Amino acid sequence: MTPLYDQIGKGYAQRRQPDPRIARTIHDALGKAQSVLNVGAGTGSYEPTDRVVTALEPSAEMIRQRPPEAAKAYQGVAEDLPFADRQFDAAMAVLTVHHWTDFDAGLREIRRVATDRVVILTFDPESDYFWLADYIPEIIALDQPIMPKLGAFEKILGEMTVETVAIPHDCSDGFLGAYWRRPQAYLDNAVRSAISTFAKLDDVTEPMRRLEDDLASGVWEAKYGHLLQEEYLDIGYRLVVADCS
């Protein structure tokens, strides 16, 4: 994960701005927790500003881009947290678990350091993929081995709730599914360069050419134009919340 984000992390903070609606969902899930550990913290997206936050991030490039006012960041990995048992009221992890080298170990570590709750934004690989997979089916092949199923969370965290996080059509955070109603965005190399999935694909020249042609000819709109009327779309993002008390 570290080499990947040292590579794609350049300019990451510009493209991956936290979406306030998603942030509200995450912050509400943190409940009354006053001390929060953010694992896989990146440039600080979704860290609450009204609580004491500690950040952990493996990539030096991502840490370098954290703004001066962001929480103190330590370089390290989820699988070996350098913190004491139950040191934080809550631990959070946003779109990061699929990058861990050992999911079970990372989840146990997060559970170990949290007193009150664990909050994780992830993607459910058993959900339906959105239309981009019709152009790049390799996305599914990439996701299936690395995206943990929801049952894998429950096995370690125990009782938990799962909330659907529908993605707004104008989502400001440029993750893979953010542009579901703005297909032209995927044609922009700068947009793709801030998405880890594209960094793992060998060459997307042909599928992007096909998408561009379909947008110009009206084929895309004929197939997916109904999405242009939607404000939010469920494309598999889930918020896992576990009570540790």
Side-chain angles (χ1 to χ4, degrees):
M1 175 175 161
T2 303
L4 174 65
Y5 273 87
D6 283 343
Q7 172 192 343
I8 74 169
K10 298 177 176 66
Y12 190 90
Q14 298 174 359
R15 294 286 175 182
R16 300 296 295 269
Q17 294 294 318
D19 186 272
R21 293 150 293 192
I22 298 175
R24 191 178 309 114
T25 299
I26 294 170
H27 298 170
D28 287 348
L30 289 170
K32 297 180 180 180
Q34 290 303 301
S35 60
V36 179
L37 173 65
N38 186 17
V39 179
T43 59
S45 292
Y46 301 108
E47 291 175 359
T49 58
D50 58 345
R51 318 180 197 218
V52 179
V53 176
T54 301
L56 185 93
E57 166 59 39
S59 168
E61 174 61 32
M62 301 295 275
I63 292 175
R64 185 187 66 79
Q65 292 188 55
R66 291 176 65 85
E69 69 274 12
K72 178 177 176 58
Y74 296 85
Q75 189 167 15
V77 296
E79 298 88 340
D80 186 20
L81 297 178
F83 306 109
D85 293 357
R86 302 173 70 84
Q87 183 170 337
F88 305 94
D89 294 336
M92 59 182 279
V94 177
L95 298 178
T96 181
V97 297
H98 54 290
H99 293 302
W100 299 351
T101 57
D102 188 330
F103 170 74
D104 287 1
L107 209 57
R108 289 192 184 97
E109 279 289 271
I110 283 185
R111 175 65 180 82
R112 176 181 66 80
V113 302
T115 300
D116 182 32
R117 63 185 55 196
V118 169
V119 176
I120 299 175
L121 180 63
T122 186
F123 177 81
D124 178 8
E126 296 184 305
S127 63
D128 292 333
Y129 284 75
F130 75 112
W131 59 262
L132 186 62
D134 293 342
Y135 289 88
I136 313 176
E138 293 87 350
I139 290 174
I140 300 176
L142 282 173
D143 281 352
Q144 289 297 328
I146 63 173
M147 290 289 184
K149 297 178 181 179
L150 296 178
F153 289 91
E154 189 172 19
K155 183 176 68 173
I156 294 174
L157 295 178
E159 185 176 348
M160 66 185 200
T161 62
V162 178
E163 180 179 347
T164 295
V165 180
I167 306 305
H169 72 93
D170 55 351
C171 182
S172 58
D173 189 349
F175 50 78
L176 180 64
Y179 305 100
W180 60 266
R181 213 182 84 173
R182 294 168 287 171
Q184 294 85 354
Y186 293 105
L187 302 177
D188 186 342
N189 184 61
V191 168
R192 298 196 304 272
S193 67
I195 300 173
S196 63
T197 300
F198 281 102
K200 297 174 184 178
L201 293 167
D202 292 332
D203 185 8
V204 295
T205 302
E206 180 54 37
M208 290 300 97
R209 182 181 296 118
R210 186 158 59 91
L211 174 59
E212 185 174 23
D213 290 346
D214 285 357
L215 288 169
S217 67
V219 169
W220 186 93
E221 187 168 357
K223 288 183 177 180
Y224 312 109
H226 61 282
L227 296 177
L228 301 177
Q229 308 303 317
E230 302 294 333
E231 297 293 316
Y232 289 82
L233 192 66
D234 173 13
I235 49 178
Y237 293 93
R238 302 289 183 263
L239 192 69
V240 172
V241 182
D243 187 349
C244 301
S245 58

